[in-house]
Amino acid sequence: MKSVKIENLDWVSYRELTEKGRCKIILPVGAIEQHGPHMSLNPDVLIPSHIAVKVAERCDNMLVAPAISYGYKSQVKSGGGNFFPGTTCVSGSSLESYVFDVLQAYVNHGNREFILINGHFENSMYLCEAADKLVKKCKNEGVNVKVYLLSYWDFISEETIEKVFPDGFSGWAVEHGGVLETSIMLKLHPELVDMSKAVDVEPATFPPYDVFPPDPSWVAASGTLSSPLPATAEKGEIILDECISGIASHFG
Amino acid sequence: MKSVKIENLDWVSYRELTEKGRCKIILPVGAIEQHGPHMSLNPDVLIPSHIAVKVAERCDNMLVAPAISYGYKSQVKSGGGNFFPGTTCVSGSSLESYVFDVLQAYVNHGNREFILINGHFENSMYLCEAADKLVKKCKNEGVNVKVYLLSYWDFISEETIEKVFPDGFSGWAVEHGGVLETSIMLKLHPELVDMSKAVDVEPATFPPYDVFPPDPSWVAASGTLSSPLPATAEKGEIILDECISGIASHFG
Amino acid sequence: MKSVKIENLDWVSYRELTEKGRCKIILPVGAIEQHGPHMSLNPDVLIPSHIAVKVAERCDNMLVAPAISYGYKSQVKSGGGNFFPGTTCVSGSSLESYVFDVLQAYVNHGNREFILINGHFENSMYLCEAADKLVKKCKNEGVNVKVYLLSYWDFISEETIEKVFPDGFSGWAVEHGGVLETSIMLKLHPELVDMSKAVDVEPATFPPYDVFPPDPSWVAASGTLSSPLPATAEKGEIILDECISGIASHFG
Amino acid sequence: MKSVKIENLDWVSYRELTEKGRCKIILPVGAIEQHGPHMSLNPDVLIPSHIAVKVAERCDNMLVAPAISYGYKSQVKSGGGNFFPGTTCVSGSSLESYVFDVLQAYVNHGNREFILINGHFENSMYLCEAADKLVKKCKNEGVNVKVYLLSYWDFISEETIEKVFPDGFSGWAVEHGGVLETSIMLKLHPELVDMSKAVDVEPATFPPYDVFPPDPSWVAASGTLSSPLPATAEKGEIILDECISGIASHFG
Amino acid sequence: MKSVKIENLDWVSYRELTEKGRCKIILPVGAIEQHGPHMSLNPDVLIPSHIAVKVAERCDNMLVAPAISYGYKSQVKSGGGNFFPGTTCVSGSSLESYVFDVLQAYVNHGNREFILINGHFENSMYLCEAADKLVKKCKNEGVNVKVYLLSYWDFISEETIEKVFPDGFSGWAVEHGGVLETSIMLKLHPELVDMSKAVDVEPATFPPYDVFPPDPSWVAASGTLSSPLPATAEKGEIILDECISGIASHFG
Amino acid sequence: MKSVKIENLDWVSYRELTEKGRCKIILPVGAIEQHGPHMSLNPDVLIPSHIAVKVAERCDNMLVAPAISYGYKSQVKSGGGNFFPGTTCVSGSSLESYVFDVLQAYVNHGNREFILINGHFENSMYLCEAADKLVKKCKNEGVNVKVYLLSYWDFISEETIEKVFPDGFSGWAVEHGGVLETSIMLKLHPELVDMSKAVDVEPATFPPYDVFPPDPSWVAASGTLSSPLPATAEKGEIILDECISGIASHFG
């Protein structure tokens, strides 16, 4: 069988492809999280998974591992908050342990380089911890492992931001369920977006602190932190192209 | 949006469907594990996921959660062993915590009944522990939760076994990568099976104990515990039909 | 002092006996669990402990470690369920950690081979995890450790089953508190069995799934999964003899 | 069946005896630890177990749970140190979790009062933590649990000390493997003591700090912290009598 | 005794001040981390501690808890990286557990509102997890707790940024050891700053990803992410004044 | 910068001072705990911190790490109990993990010898576990680490005891909040002691066991276990001098 997706390979093919640690393993990590009434719960999984496959198809010697679907708890200022029905998140320690173990298993097969493509902001610090612990443990056992950790939106240039947000960009922080993700989903999975249900909201503004338990009144009732209305599949395509080629050229 | 898959719903639709805890949530749990040179690494994920969707489509008020892809370590006598390249498994505590947290998140949305459809034998005791701890914790907090835990092959009848194994059945224990799973995959995902690579092996026999580290010589070089050669898509269809209708009638 | 039981040795004798890792250490692992109104709560501890001593007495260079008395939670289909008064079980992670630490301590003394004799089905996967983690940790530290894991009933032959169950065998799964364990206890500890209280029950049948919280109505009120009435000390002797000689010949 | 030992009861008898939480459950906690070349490794288990049974036999409504055999790591100044062959100890977290789970299981049966009889000094703080966590967790769940924690030697009076140590008492701290434990073992288990191997040592003196890794030269080669030579079964009887009656009168 | 610092109070005074949960407890959380050759390792502790005291002195009913000194691992892009000598950091799980327990202890005294003032960016997500878990656990026990979490620099206004960075502001991300922290330290602890050792560096620029193990060549040899040269005590005073009055007015 | 306190050093100075592991790192560990109505909550932190600095100033090649302020739960018989307002303690596992991580970080800088100066009796066993685990882990990684663990009062001689307690010494066990700590605080921090609020109490006597939940009636209402009235700054000076010179001469 031929595929850049590990799960679609038989083990003999996988062994050949990964021999001598020559493959970089891409692990998409996302979340099941509300993204407004106009969009499904899985953009944080689908987008990094798509990018991972496209990057691997462009580069030699990259394979894509099955994604981690459930991510760390949604926070009010970046994802609307963990109290929305449908936002289905795990604790930091569970995410960290699960990702650690998955990476360790791939190391056991002889792989030595990993690219974590993150699609959910809140995961970052726990992925960082999993990567740090793995690398140190392996080093203590005489194995040199390298883990790259990236969030796909960090590969978007100023030029693209200007194109995608011609009326001004309010910052990644409020892009949850807004133009960025909606545009990409319109391009990739139009069947999972219903623009007729998209709600126009002002870019969210927040007090300079967080509060627990979170205060639902800080977030628009729709759950997005900015308006998805200007989203288009064309914008999605531009963004994806840049992320895919950026990541491919950095790690290819 | 309309789907039995939770991830494909927007949060408002999800909220409506799950109101008053009226939905049972099905969580497929599998593994990424070698299944012989003739088959991809993901049957333990794809099969329970397919069954889950079909059961949910037949029953009112069931939804399917995104599957848990990485499961507990493959054991020699049931899955060939954790040393095969491609077999990518996590520790028991990581699986238990991750599943616990996922179920807790669905409880937080108001759901009260869960069906864990397991596709990987080795997961069972850790799912059992996650379910037990969740149910007790919720009860202590005044919330009554019910978790059903099943492995799909336990819904296969003697009659079907006779049809599928006309030359005699060696027991579920050695069905890893054999007729059962290969037939179902031929039915569901023929593109992930290449029967030209299938290796004929005698049903595995093992000493009456386990040993750690595992001894690779206990397992056929191909990784399956019995021969996949007699597998056919027709057999797969029979098995699936029975599992789906059995599960649907028990829990519908 | 002279004994195959480690606890009865003074440390100097123990050091001599275990020098150069030449002893295999047997660790019996059991449970405190109801076994019907006719029998004490400790067969799962006493039986593997007895077998361990007898095996060690037959073989050179084996020693028996103090047993682990409290095991993993009794499950309805194999042990009647964790809700019976007297069934006193621990979580999987506690059992795993405790056994791991005990084995590690014996490794620290220079021992390299271990035989875990399990007397309680539900322990298996957690013992498996403890053994796997120990072996890997030691290997990373340059120490090769081998752990054998067995449940004593897996050493019983078809011939013996026919002798012990002349009217047909319903499978190990329902032997909880039935002929197997009652016969052995009648042989070893008749003072802990009161056949006048033994309750005749049909071999248990169960739905093809588990449920949490468990449903007590699935189990006979007496707590056994099959009838202990045909049990005799003679049958117990036959079973024990076979288990002891089987284990001794495999590992001696 | 009739016994103060829980493990020897059938579950129906246990249920009757413990109804309405009317029984105090005694849990002996010990260690497998060297006690000099003249004595077995198990005095820390056997002594509190014996005391527990005798106390329970004197009092109404007390039952003895199976002992915890493996305790926290032996420390140089109280047990000679964890580096002696035969000293087989677990980590603090494993001991704490295991004891916590055992107590929780007894609480689940309806028991509400516990007496932990400790036979190994080093266990104390971890038992304390287990007890504290259990009591708080239960209280949060609306269940009032009471745990008494004692080390048996704290019930020995000045008068007895004078009788047992007519030439002066060097303090409990150095009684490891000395007159106290040897005398009791001579009374209870003379077959596990061989006074011909007893080594005369001065009461240990130590620097006012601990060091890790421990320095074996701090301890006498024999492993005891004072001389067992003056030990006699008569002294053992006096000590036991006082401990048993003291504990019985406090908690009976 | 009279003080806004809890540690300086006797327990009777503390009890009176905190009666009926009327006090907000401020917990400063920092790190021991290199901040360039011109500055001590403790600005992340000293700054939030100072702000906490000043805020508490301005507001009624606020008390300052002893600070958490050791924080989560320094990251290359925000703190230079965890490989610098002197950067002394703990794992995420240790920080989370320690902070959780500290907050729980204050809740046990009857306190209900907390303000975590963070001085080390990398701590944020672990403080967030500790706060989230505490609030949920308490709620399940019938206690309503509120935790505010803030990083002091989020209270600095655009106007102040313009004053402090007249030649342009490169963003908080590269302020590690730069004008912000150096100015504050010059104001608060001039004895811990030696401007003669301050190294002029360009604001750091980084690739759009992280890598483990970190690559020291990404960071200036001095360890700061921007130049501390323009720092002055006057700027420090302006910043502190704004942070203190901002926090005081939000929570007073 | 010049200081024996690590936190006051810049990283370059710290690197020079600790080169080749030539420095011993002193880590003071204390607690926030009531010490009677006449004294602040922090003697267990301030006293070992002061001793640490003085010892380091006397010896070459010693540095003092920032103290661990929050310690293990106060016990009735040694600290009055964990139920006093102001007594702010953490669990054993949190303390152990936090200290372990801090020591590991210093090991990562190249340090190899540590002196833990404990100011709170209840911390001992958890510090012991942290030290033991660190030393073993490092050894497995090829790094030899040495950890000394001491409680400062163990350096006080019989002579000093006679001077400080001319009317008889009731043992360290009841010195909580009594003459020992009050005298030292009068010497070091007279502003944190108010002798007008000191309460005269008899030396505490306790039953020979502990109980959970603790019984507040076992402790004097003031919270101290003996009377602080005879405390004087002069006595504090004598004690401090002896501890400082004793520790310095042992480890210098």
Side-chain angles (χ1 to χ4, degrees), chain F residues 90-241:
Chain F
V90 301
S91 65
S93 60
S94 291
L95 179 64
E96 179 200 316
S97 300
Y98 197 68
V99 169
F100 178 95
D101 280 5
V102 167
L103 294 176
Q104 175 72 69
Y106 287 116
V107 170
N108 292 348
H109 305 156
N111 301 294
R112 294 296 175 262
E113 291 196 61
F114 298 91
I115 305 169
L116 306 190
I117 301 189
N118 182 26
H120 176 66
F121 172 76
E122 290 88 335
N123 288 337
S124 305
M125 289 307 280
Y126 299 99
L127 298 180
C128 165
E129 184 73 331
D132 183 68
K133 286 189 177 170
L134 180 81
V135 163
K136 277 186 192 144
K137 175 170 179 287
C138 289
K139 202 182 161 203
N140 284 328
E141 297 166 3
V143 175
N144 286 314
V145 166
K146 205 164 205 168
V147 182
Y148 301 98
L149 168 57
L150 65 92
S151 293
Y152 67 86
W153 53 85
D154 286 332
F155 283 77
I156 302 175
S157 65
E158 287 297 321
E159 293 71 35
T160 296
I161 288 176
E162 274 166 39
K163 269 190 247 164
V164 171
F165 302 94
D167 302 328
F169 176 54
S170 306
W172 294 129
V174 296
E175 265 310 303
H176 181 77
V179 169
L180 171 78
E181 293 176 311
T182 307
S183 294
I184 301 177
M185 288 294 283
L186 280 169
K187 171 68 188 169
L188 293 184
H189 294 281
E191 78 282 7
L192 297 177
V193 188
D194 178 350
M195 288 304 284
S196 76
K197 292 199 189 157
V199 178
D200 194 20
V201 298
E202 286 297 297
T205 56
F206 296 110
Y209 56 86
D210 296 296
V211 65
F212 302 85
D215 181 343
S217 77
W218 288 18
V219 192
S222 68
T224 73
L225 302 188
S226 55
S227 174
L229 290 190
T232 66
E234 291 67 35
K235 292 179 179 177
E237 188 167 8
I238 294 171
I239 295 167
L240 280 174
D241 281 355

Side-chain angles (χ1 to χ4, degrees), chain A residues 231-244:
Chain A
T232 67
E234 290 68 35
K235 292 179 179 176
E237 187 167 10
I238 293 171
I239 294 167
L240 279 173
D241 281 355
E242 186 164 51
C243 291
I244 291 162

Side-chain angles (χ1 to χ4, degrees), chain B residues 49-68:
Chain B
S49 296
H50 173 81
I51 291 172
V53 165
K54 290 301 169 191
V55 166
E57 284 172 356
R58 258 188 231 194
C59 302
D60 267 355
N61 296 333
M62 281 198 195
L63 289 175
V64 181
I68 305 289

Side-chain angles (χ1 to χ4, degrees), chain C residues 7 9 27 30 38 45 59 70 94 96-97 107 112 115 119 145 166 189 219 235 237 244:
Chain C
E7 63 180 312
L9 298 170
L27 179 66
H38 67 293
V45 182
C59 302
Y70 297 98
S94 291
E96 180 200 316
S97 300
V107 170
R112 294 296 176 261
I115 305 169
V145 166
H189 294 281
V219 192
K235 291 179 179 177
E237 187 167 8
I244 291 162

